Amino acid sequence: MNPFEQAEKMLQDIQEATLNSIEEAEQFRIKYIGSKGLLKDLFAAMKDIPNERKKDFGQLVNQIKQSAEAKINEAKQANTGSKKSKSSGEDLTAPGIPYEVGTRHPLSIVKNEMIEIFKRLGFVVEDGPEIEDDWHNFTALNLPENHPARDMQDTFYIDYNANKLLRTHTSSAQIRVMEKQKPPIRIITPGRVYRNETISARAHCTFHQVEGLYIDKDVSFADLKQTLYYFAKEMFGSDNIRMRPSYFPFTEPSAEIDVSCFICDAKGCAVCKHSGWVEIGGCGMVDPAVLTNAGIDTEEYSGFAFGMGIERVTMLKYGINDIRLFFENDKRFLEQFS
Ligand code: PHE
C-alpha cells in the first residue's frame, strides 16, 4: 500500500469505529493521535510524497486527524453524560440539608455582657499577655518574695530561671497599663489565667477573669461599691451583693465580692455551700505601694481595682453547678446557650 492508500484506509477505519466507553476513547486516542500514534507515521511519510501531491496528502492527513478528534469528543460526551444520569440517583426536588449553626460559648456570652456593662460606665478594654514575668504578676503587685501565693504549688512556671510563668490573675495587666498610661485610667482586662489547682466542680487549673482598674483624683471606696452594685444590677437584675473584708497584697482595704445565690434563691445549695452567698471575686483600693511601683504619684491619685471570675458569674447566671462543664465542650451542654 502506498501512503495514499494507507491514509484512505485509516480514514475509513476511524469513521467506522464505535467507541463505547471513556476507556475505549482513550485507547483510540493513543492509537491514532497519541505521541507514538499512527498519524505520526503518516506525517513522517510526507517527505517521500512527490511535491505536486504533497498538498493533497496534507489535506487528507488533516481530515484524518479531525475525524479522530471528533470521534473521541463524541464518545466522551456520550459516556460522561450517560454515566452521570445512571449513577447519581439524586432527587433534585428534595429539600436541602441545613447547615448546623454553631453557638457562642457561655463564657464568651457572659464575658461580652460584662464588657458591655463596664463600657457603659466608661471603662475601656485592655489586653495583657498570658505568659508573664515575676515583676508584673507578683513583685509590682506588692507580693513580697516569700508570699505563699508565689509558691510553686499555685503557679505554673514555664521556666523559673528565665522568669517566665503563666499569669495567675489578670492583675498583672493592671501594672502593664499603669506603666504605659497616665491617669485618669479606667480599664477592664478580660482574659485567661492559670493556677496549679486540683480540678473539681468548683476549681479548674485554667479559668477567666475580668480585671477592673480605675485611677483618678479622689477615687474612693464608695465609687468602687457603686460600680459593683451597678454591675450586679445589670448582670443579675439584682444588686443583692455584699463586700466581705479580706486581704490582698495589692489592695488596702480589700474585700471579697459575694453575690446572693441566684441558683437557690439564697435558700442554700451545693454551689453556695448552703450559705446563700457565692464569691465572684476580690476588690479594694489600690495599695499606694503598687501605684508607686508603676510610677504614679500617690499624693495626687488614688484608685480601686477588682477582679471577677467569669466562670463564677456564668454559673450564677445560668444555674450551672460544675465548672468542668465549660471545658469539656460537650455539644449537648453548649447548644443550650444559643
Ligand atoms: N487578683 C485577685 C485574685 O485573682 C483578685 C483581685 C483583683 C483582688 C483586684 C483585688 C483587686 O484573686
Side-chain angles (χ1 to χ4, degrees), residues 47-302:
K47 63 178 188 315
D48 303 325
I49 306 287
N51 274 346
E52 68 277 11
R53 301 210 60 193
K54 269 198 166 65
K55 192 175 166 212
D56 290 343
F57 189 74
Q59 278 172 350
L60 188 56
V61 173
N62 265 338
Q63 199 190 342
I64 294 171
K65 190 169 177 231
Q66 280 161 9
S67 322
E69 282 168 353
K71 207 62 187 203
I72 293 166
N73 283 339
E74 200 180 289
K76 274 189 184 162
Q77 253 165 27
N79 287 296
T80 39
S82 65
K83 222 182 213 162
K84 231 185 203 162
S85 50
K86 243 183 258 158
S87 69
S88 97
E90 305 256 13
D91 177 1
L92 297 179
T93 62
I97 301 160
Y99 282 108
E100 262 184 76
V101 179
T103 55
R104 231 178 255 293
H105 195 281
L107 293 177
S108 299
I109 296 174
V110 168
K111 179 188 80 179
N112 290 340
E113 207 171 324
M114 290 173 84
I115 290 173
E116 284 313 311
I117 292 169
F118 286 113
K119 264 191 188 167
R120 292 202 282 277
L121 289 173
F123 286 84
V124 292
V125 176
E126 283 282 343
D127 205 6
E130 291 178 19
I131 297 175
E132 264 298 2
D133 52 37
D134 184 281
W135 169 256
H136 292 96
N137 197 75
F138 294 129
T139 308
L141 285 163
N142 205 25
L143 269 112
E145 195 151 322
N146 24 26
H147 191 282
R150 299 180 59 150
D151 196 298
M152 302 275 276
Q153 295 277 314
D154 293 323
T155 309
F156 285 119
Y157 284 91
I158 292 175
D159 188 335
Y160 187 80
N161 295 320
N163 189 16
K164 261 193 201 157
L165 52 88
L166 293 175
R167 65 176 177 190
T168 57
H169 51 186
T170 43
S171 300
S172 52
Q174 281 188 36
I175 302 297
R176 292 196 175 267
V177 172
M178 286 190 272
E179 280 172 347
K180 64 169 206 242
Q181 227 171 286
K182 292 266 149 287
I185 293 171
R186 197 170 353 179
I187 55 109
I188 50 168
T189 65
R192 190 195 290 266
V193 301
Y194 303 84
R195 278 182 211 177
N196 193 358
E197 290 201 44
T198 309
I199 296 171
S200 71
R202 293 171 58 89
H204 213 286
C205 58
T206 168
F207 55 100
H208 300 79
Q209 294 185 324
V210 171
E211 190 84 9
L213 177 69
Y214 178 33
I215 296 173
D216 206 343
K217 290 175 178 148
D218 302 321
V219 176
S220 74
F221 202 90
D223 299 316
L224 169 59
K225 258 176 114 172
Q226 207 48 52
T227 303
L228 296 176
Y229 279 135
Y230 178 79
F231 167 75
K233 181 112 196 143
E234 294 293 296
M235 178 56 81
F236 302 111
S238 156
D239 60 4
N240 196 7
I241 63 171
R242 70 177 185 187
M243 270 160 245
R244 204 159 23 88
S246 186
Y247 169 78
F248 296 103
F250 33 91
T251 47
E252 182 62 36
S254 305
E256 223 108 33
I257 311 162
D258 289 349
V259 176
S260 175
C261 185
F262 299 117
I263 296 174
C264 62
D265 260 335
K267 288 190 184 74
C269 68
V271 175
C272 63
K273 290 200 214 144
H274 301 280
S275 70
W277 295 96
V278 181
E279 182 200 321
I280 60 162
C283 65
M285 301 305 293
V286 181
D287 195 297
V290 174
L291 296 176
T292 305
N293 283 340
I296 290 173
D297 183 359
T298 54
E299 295 293 317
E300 203 178 347
Y301 295 105
S302 58

